[in-house]
Amino acid sequence: MMATVEKRPPSRRTVLKTAAAAGGLLLVGFDTVQTAKAAPDNAPISPFRSWIQIDQEGQVTLMSGRSEMGQGISSALPMVLADELGVDWKDVRVEQAPNDVPRFGDQGTGGSGSVAGSWMTMRQAAAAARTMLITVAAKRWNVTPESCSIKNGVIISGNHSAKLGEFVAAAALLPVPDFKTLTLKKPEEVQIIGTVVERKDIPSKTDGSAVFGIDTRLPGMLYAMVERCPAFGGKVQSVDMSAAKAMPGVHEAFEIPAVPDVHSWGGVAVIADSTWIAMQARKKLQIKWDMGPFSNESSESLRHEFLRIVDSRLKVVIDQGNVDSALAHVPSARRVDADYELPFQAHATMEPMNCTVRFNGNNAEVWAPAQGPEWVRTTVAQVLGIKPDAVKVTTTLLGGGFGRRYQADFAAEAAQVAKKVPGKPVQLIWSREDDMTHDFYRPASYHRLSGAVDEHGNLIAWRHRSTSTPISEWWSPKDTPESSELGSSTQFPYLCHNYRLEYLPTKSSVPRAWWRSVEASTIGFVMEGYLDELAHAAGVDPLEFRLSKLDGRLVKDPISKDNRPLDTARLKAVLQLAARKSDWGTPMGKGEGRGIACHYSFNSYVANVVEVAVSDGRLHVKRVVSAVDIGTPVSPDAIRAQVESAIIYGLTAALKSQITIKNGGAVQSNFDAFSTLPMNETPLLEVHITPSTLPPTGIGEPGLPPTAPALTNAIFAGTGKRIRRLPIVPADLA
Amino acid sequence: MAITFELNGESKTVDVDPATPLLWVLRDTLNLTGTKYGCGIAQCGACTVHINGSAQRSCGIPVSAVNGKRVTTIEGLSKDRSHPVQQAWIAEQVPQCGYCQSGQIMTAVAFLRQNPNPTAADVDAAMSHNICRCGTAQRMRKAILRAATMQHGGEAGAKL
């Protein structure tokens, strides 16, 4: 999902030198161990120089290379390391790795890809460390390496036993074995993977000691805010900063330009002694805005454009069989035509955007709650006019990510303000209003579906015409938008011989990017809501309707050939599991209903069943039962937590929140207008995990797409009211 | 103007604009960053602290209003995470990103003081004005009921 972000890692050797010189705040003991010198540049990095730190006492510190934003990755990846190495979970410490791609590999955190992308590296690194430690022990004890094993942080061979710390200095000097030659533990040998463990980051999140980006505190630190144009694409026409500058505690007020590479807007910055003074001074700026060329855009104008485009000739993306002919010959009772519609959504991470930068003239230090620390580094370097090697990024905890923190706009602004006051650390803070009105939103979209079933309940036609405000217009204008906007509708899982997808983008000035589950959040709703309509048209139970069309085929993606095939057997299995656990088919009361939906995203399979009760137009979401198949479940409780989280995020988008546009800007600016699902509306959540030994796939996002359609399908089951436009409003239930 | 209040058991005097919200005095003047900024309009509850024992939103309270009062922040709840609510939070593995959790915990602690024997519905009503974007409400609900049991002398129970 981040294919367009240019990554230019410096040579490995340069970085090792820089990292060693910088010391690395978080790398306790990093330089206590010498590692083999003069390794060729293509050799695997020593695990003792990256993931695994062992001191002479045997204390094992494991590094987490990905950003912790609540998904528990700072425990999940170290669990894999600890298991393969042979140490107890309770005995290990975990630290956040600094931004250092040559040592820690890809550190971008998103696309539900961290465990899937890193787990083999973790296993190999730990197996290499285990092999190196055993090599030293075997030699010292004059026994064979095969006779040695590591358990609970102790190497054992016959009567010999000693803690890892005794061998680490010598082991680190050995050449790193070729990862391909390593023997990894078999599924029956693992002891930590697949078990419920306590996450290492949680205790600090109960006593205020957890340090998020916004909590960065440095001696002499200043605070900055930026006023941006309320209309997207507008700019400063003129500004009178005298009143702001005259305020006690204000250091600087100045214009900053837009940074087009990261789509930061520019505006007027204020640097002050505290956040509060910066906020007050910002209010005193007298800015006359040039609202730019798009200030007429509104949700109404966009909808008008959606309707115009969806009625026009679209680009045919997939055309199997003959949809038009199939539709033409079906009685109207077995044909369904329906339009679906979804709005922009804000990420609304609880921690507003922020970033702290100290510019020292020829180098810079950055503290960033970032999903893409490498992009932060190159962006800060670009703004400051220094080399990326001269920028050191510390990734802090993230107070929510959901895709928003993959951006680097806030880092660009932080560098711009820090450049004004060299030598002084400056924390750039966005207010909640800044955050909500200058997000990169989930795209809005409009879908027109026509389909039909035959008298036996077979799906005989499916035509999906749609338009959206594609992400590609903002981040990869050379790409064809349909490859990223249509999600897994290009891998239609249900048996249907006549299938057509058509699409055209709609232009918009509203900034867009990756929101939790990205296009699956819209496509999943449309596909599974509409499929439910066809099930009812066929007079078949919605579960049975789905199951009968999943026959074990593998469905390839004809558009994005790199995508893995969808396994309809696995999709079917999660549907069956969710149905069984939710008592599917048992009687319910008046106004009550169950809805089911499934979706394949991020190579994972999820089915959700939602139970609702509707009375007097009031909706009560009672229960959500989820079944997931994500390959090997590395950290089951974190998986459950992520699915619970994705369900609530999905319910909020279905029931509570949206971003509408007026005069070229976002209407909702804070939680009074952008509401979220409160505890007293939170249903009972149950998550069931399919046992598997397949390689793990993602889980931060895949629980979301089947949530909204299972909800609207449940409402239909309970009330006969079909909802095709989100968020749900009271009139939909009246 | 000098304002003096008791903060986590210690007397503090700050010399700032008296209109400055308590939140920013805690975070920027006193570098006590456990209390979070989430919305600035007393909607989300991330900035919740105790003032003379009652849960209040520090983003909307000028520091002058706490002159002579007793303020407790998340850092002052216990020295060693031993408060039953903290223990219950760990036992139920509640936090995800964790950013809202200081405010959630401070709200829950004050609530349990008022209502030591809550039902799940009582908990829901008390906690529904705090926002958690990670969706931890179900785990918080369980943790608060667990903490209530612990406060009556019950064990934290088997973890997880």
Side-chain angles (χ1 to χ4, degrees):
Chain A
M1 88 186 210
M2 282 305 298
T4 59
V5 177
E6 198 182 344
K7 292 187 180 108
R8 283 171 299 173
S11 83
R12 178 165 155 268
R13 239 173 234 160
T14 323
V15 165
L16 287 180
K17 212 167 125 195
T18 314
L25 186 68
L26 293 163
L27 273 171
V28 181
F30 175 67
D31 283 325
T32 60
V33 174
Q34 275 203 310
T35 51
K37 293 203 171 59
D41 253 10
N42 59 356
I45 192 104
S46 168
F48 300 113
R49 211 156 170 88
S50 52
W51 307 107
I52 297 168
Q53 315 286 317
I54 305 172
D55 70 16
Q56 306 291 328
E57 265 68 60
Q59 173 64 54
V60 178
T61 301
L62 303 174
M63 308 302 286
S64 170
R66 308 273 186 160
S67 303
E68 179 57 77
M69 47 189 168
Q71 82 280 40
I73 198 66
S74 62
S75 291
L77 293 178
M79 281 170 74
V80 179
L81 285 168
D83 214 347
E84 194 67 45
L85 183 61
V87 293
D88 262 11
W89 182 246
K90 65 175 170 39
D91 295 335
V92 302
R93 295 176 54 220
V94 167
E95 287 187 8
Q96 180 69 43
N99 168 234
D100 191 340
V101 168
R103 264 170 63 217
F104 296 105
D106 179 10
Q107 293 184 292
T109 308
S112 295
S114 294
V115 170
S118 288
W119 105 301
M120 188 50 73
T121 309
M122 295 299 96
R123 296 181 69 192
Q124 290 170 331
R130 176 161 47 84
T131 305
M132 293 158 86
L133 290 161
I134 283 177
T135 301
V136 174
K139 198 172 172 195
R140 199 171 292 171
W141 293 335
N142 199 21
V143 297
T144 62
E146 292 72 30
S147 71
C148 299
S149 62
I150 304 181
K151 281 204 178 97
N152 307 330
V154 175
I155 304 189
I156 306 161
S157 171
N159 294 329
H160 300 286
S161 80
K163 290 175 87 173
L164 301 183
E166 298 198 13
F167 310 102
V168 66
L173 291 169
L174 296 176
V176 181
D178 182 352
F179 279 10
K180 288 194 283 290
T181 66
L182 298 167
T183 307
L184 303 176
K185 288 187 176 172
K186 298 184 186 71
E188 60 271 22
E189 292 175 299
V190 304
Q191 294 188 311
I192 301 173
I193 290 171
T195 65
V196 171
V197 302
E198 285 198 1
R199 271 170 53 181
K200 300 282 186 187
D201 60 322
I202 281 184
S204 74
K205 292 174 175 177
T206 66
D207 67 0
S209 63
V211 177
F212 298 86
I214 204 168
D215 301 329
T216 304
R217 289 293 177 271
L218 299 161
M221 194 175 88
L222 302 174
Y223 300 81
M225 300 198 97
V226 174
E227 184 72 4
R228 303 166 196 83
C229 184
F232 303 120
K235 58 186 186 212
V236 177
Q237 194 170 76
S238 64
V239 55
D240 176 356
M241 297 179 262
S242 53
K245 283 183 174 175
M247 269 186 71
V250 173
H251 291 244
E252 302 279 354
F254 52 104
E255 279 189 58
I256 57 169
V259 181
D261 286 359
V262 295
H263 292 301
S264 80
W265 294 106
V268 183
V270 175
I271 302 179
D273 280 335
S274 74
T275 314
W276 178 249
I277 295 172
M279 282 178 174
Q280 300 314 300
R282 187 168 72 154
K283 285 187 196 158
K284 296 199 173 177
L285 295 169
Q286 303 280 319
I287 305 174
K288 193 165 187 302
W289 295 107
D290 166 0
M291 291 294 182
F294 311 112
S295 60
N296 287 331
E297 185 169 340
S298 66
S299 290
E300 291 72 29
S301 72
L302 185 65
R303 186 160 198 267
H304 191 262
E305 194 60 4
F306 276 166
L307 288 167
R308 185 186 71 76
I309 288 179
V310 86
D311 270 335
S312 70
R313 177 190 282 269
L314 306 181
K315 178 177 176 182
V316 176
V317 178
I318 291 181
D319 195 6
Q320 291 163 353
N322 192 333
V323 167
D324 291 338
S325 164
L327 286 172
H329 294 101
V330 72
S332 62
R334 286 195 270 104
R335 172 176 169 149
V336 178
D337 295 280
D339 284 12
Y340 280 71
E341 197 172 349
L342 294 109
F344 294 116
Q345 287 288 356
H347 298 82
T349 61
M350 287 311 294
E351 179 192 19
M353 295 305 108
N354 67 87
C355 183
T356 305
V357 176
R358 177 159 52 203
F359 176 48
N360 302 315
N362 48 22
N363 63 68
E365 298 152 278
V366 182
W367 293 264
Q371 291 177 249
E374 182 65 10
W375 198 16
V376 165
R377 191 167 73 96
T378 54
T379 298
V380 168
Q382 182 195 329
V383 169
L384 295 176
I386 59 178
K387 291 186 172 133
D389 289 6
V391 178
K392 182 187 161 208
V393 178
T394 299
T395 305
T396 64
L397 287 171
L398 284 61
F402 315 122
R404 177 63 179 91
R405 288 196 152 93
Y406 226 128
Q407 304 297 339
D409 55 328
F410 52 92
E413 290 181 349
Q416 287 174 314
V417 295
K419 195 174 185 177
K420 191 78 175 176
V421 285
K424 290 183 182 163
V426 187
Q427 180 165 100
L428 173 89
I429 298 189
W430 290 34
S431 68
R432 174 58 57 198
E433 289 80 5
D434 298 337
D435 187 77
M436 207 166 273
T437 58
H438 289 86
D439 198 351
F440 296 92
Y441 306 92
R442 194 274 306 272
S445 61
Y446 196 95
H447 309 257
R448 175 157 295 165
L449 292 110
S450 299
V453 289
D454 69 13
E455 62 271 36
H456 308 296
N458 295 310
L459 189 53
I460 55 169
W462 181 291
R463 185 175 70 201
H464 181 172
R465 295 162 55 81
S466 69
T467 183
S468 69
T469 57
I471 290 171
S472 60
E473 186 184 354
W474 279 74
W475 297 104
S476 51
K478 286 178 195 156
D479 288 356
T480 52
E482 58 269 22
S483 59
S484 58
E485 292 294 307
L486 297 179
S488 74
S489 64
T490 58
Q491 288 172 282
F492 192 69
Y494 302 107
L495 272 177
C496 179
H497 295 300
N498 303 300
Y499 185 79
R500 189 153 87 214
L501 274 183
E502 302 176 35
Y503 176 83
L504 268 188
T506 295
K507 281 198 171 301
S508 168
S509 69
V510 179
R512 289 93 62 186
W514 312 278
W515 184 88
R516 196 171 195 171
S517 81
V518 201
E519 73 282 354
S521 74
T522 51
I523 289 293
F525 172 63
V526 174
M527 285 172 69
E528 288 291 310
Y530 180 65
L531 190 84
D532 211 70
E533 297 199 50
L534 288 167
H536 286 281
V540 178
D541 172 84
L543 170 67
E544 288 308 318
F545 190 74
R546 286 172 172 81
L547 295 179
S548 66
K549 288 154 190 61
L550 299 170
D551 60 349
R553 281 164 303 131
L554 294 178
V555 182
K556 290 183 184 162
D557 190 336
I559 306 304
S560 304
K561 297 207 169 16
D562 291 341
N563 285 350
R564 280 187 225 168
L566 180 159
D567 184 343
T568 55
R570 293 175 74 184
L571 196 59
K572 187 174 188 171
V574 291
L575 277 169
Q576 288 168 320
L577 180 58
R580 195 164 70 244
K581 297 290 185 182
S582 65
D583 316 305
W584 184 266
T586 57
M588 302 190 81
K590 187 172 176 289
E592 294 181 341
R594 278 189 204 96
I596 194 163
C598 61
H599 200 68
Y600 169 74
S601 61
F602 306 92
N603 303 313
S604 294
Y605 301 81
V606 179
N608 289 349
V609 174
V610 172
E611 235 177 79
V612 301
V614 182
S615 64
D616 302 328
R618 286 178 59 88
L619 172 69
H620 176 203
V621 185
K622 295 168 73 175
R623 183 182 178 213
V624 183
V625 177
S626 186
V628 308
D629 175 355
I630 61 162
T632 301
V634 171
S635 183
D637 194 54
I639 292 164
R640 280 194 285 274
Q642 279 307 288
V643 177
E644 291 163 11
S645 176
I647 289 168
I648 299 300
Y649 210 81
L651 286 176
T652 284
L655 292 166
K656 298 287 175 181
S657 69
Q658 67 174 321
I659 292 291
T660 55
I661 305 300
K662 195 177 168 188
N663 301 326
V667 172
Q668 296 76 11
S669 66
N670 208 320
F671 288 121
D672 50 351
F674 184 97
S675 55
T676 61
L677 199 75
M679 188 187 280
N680 61 3
E681 295 180 41
T682 296
L684 288 174
L685 305 171
E686 282 177 38
V687 182
H688 302 279
I689 304 169
T690 305
S692 173
T693 52
L694 292 170
T697 54
I699 198 56
E701 300 165 273
L704 191 150
T707 300
L711 171 68
T712 54
N713 295 345
I715 292 170
F716 182 81
T719 66
K721 295 180 198 305
R722 178 60 68 181
I723 296 168
R724 305 184 182 94
R725 182 179 179 175
L726 298 181
I728 298 168
V729 294
D732 293 330
L733 300 167
Chain B
M1 188 184 117
I3 293 144
T4 301
F5 57 101
E6 188 190 308
L7 178 62
N8 298 334
E10 283 179 40
S11 176
K12 293 277 176 193
T13 300
V14 293
D15 189 5
V16 297
D17 174 358
T20 309
L22 174 60
L23 168 68
W24 298 112
V25 173
L26 293 171
R27 291 186 53 81
D28 294 358
T29 311
L30 301 169
N31 285 344
L32 221 51
T33 56
T35 306
K36 302 300 192 217
Y37 165 69
C39 69
I41 57 169
Q43 281 281 320
C44 78
C47 67
T48 303
V49 300
H50 295 173
I51 299 174
N52 285 354
S54 90
Q56 308 260 348
R57 302 202 163 179
S58 63
C59 74
I61 295 172
V63 67
S64 56
V66 299
N67 197 23
K69 293 190 177 161
R70 184 163 45 86
V71 176
T72 308
T73 67
I74 185 76
E75 292 92 343
L77 199 53
S78 72
K79 286 188 164 56
D80 49 5
R81 301 176 188 136
S82 59
H83 191 284
V85 172
Q86 290 171 309
Q87 288 189 20
W89 239 246
I90 294 168
E92 295 291 347
Q93 295 280 287
V94 172
Q96 290 190 24
C97 90
Y99 190 81
C100 73
Q101 298 290 334
S102 298
Q104 305 276 8
I105 289 171
M106 295 309 281
T107 305
V109 168
F111 161 68
L112 285 173
R113 239 181 247 147
Q114 300 282 316
N115 185 349
N117 295 298
T119 63
D122 295 339
V123 173
D124 281 8
M127 299 300 293
S128 283
H129 303 284
N130 287 61
I131 294 176
C132 170
R133 247 333 230 164
C134 298
T136 64
Q138 171 160 290
R139 289 180 186 232
M140 288 195 281
R141 185 192 288 138
K142 282 188 197 163
I144 293 168
L145 294 171
R146 179 191 281 256
T149 309
M150 288 163 65
Q151 287 185 335
H152 294 299
E155 290 296 311
K159 286 187 173 178
L160 299 169

